[in-house]
Amino acid sequence: MHIGTEVLNFIKAWFLDPLNKTGCRFVLVDSYNRAENIKFYQNNGFSFLFGSEVQEKEFRGLPETGDLKTRLMFFDLIELAGY
C-alpha cells in the first residue's frame, strides 16, 4: 500500500511549502539497522549520515565491537526545491 512512502512524501512536501517557515533543509531518521528498513529509506532518497558503521559508532561514543542497532540517515530537501 506504500503508506510509509506516502507519509515521507507528505513530510518532505510540508517542509517545502512556502507557508512553512521552519527553515529546515534536512530530514533525519534513526533507522533500525536491518536490511529491509535501510532499503526502505534508501528507496525514498535517504542516505547514510556517516560513511561507515565505524564512523557512526565513534561519533556516538559506542565501542567498535558489537552491532550498531540503528543508523542515522538523512534526506536533503534541496533536491526537491529545484536549486
Side-chain angles (χ1 to χ4, degrees), residues 19-80:
L19 298 177
N20 181 351
K21 303 299 181 200
T22 59
C24 292
R25 176 172 169 183
F26 298 100
V27 177
L28 184 70
V29 296
D30 194 8
S31 171
Y32 285 114
N33 194 13
R34 296 191 299 239
E36 61 271 13
N37 297 83
I38 298 296
K39 184 178 178 184
F40 167 76
Y41 285 109
Q42 287 176 326
N43 287 342
N44 282 283
F46 284 77
S47 302
F48 291 116
L49 189 59
F50 295 94
S52 71
E53 289 190 25
V54 172
Q55 290 175 334
E56 191 163 341
K57 287 178 184 179
E58 184 178 312
F59 174 80
R60 292 181 172 195
L62 300 172
E64 285 187 36
T65 58
D67 294 334
L68 189 58
K69 297 190 185 313
T70 63
R71 294 293 310 268
L72 292 171
M73 301 181 77
F74 74 96
F75 181 84
D76 189 350
L77 292 167
I78 207 151
E79 294 178 26
L80 299 178

Side-chain angles (χ1 to χ4, degrees), residues 7-21:
V7 169
L8 287 176
N9 288 339
F10 174 82
I11 291 168
K12 292 172 187 177
W14 183 71
F15 279 112
L16 292 174
D17 187 289
L19 298 177
N20 181 351
K21 303 299 181 200

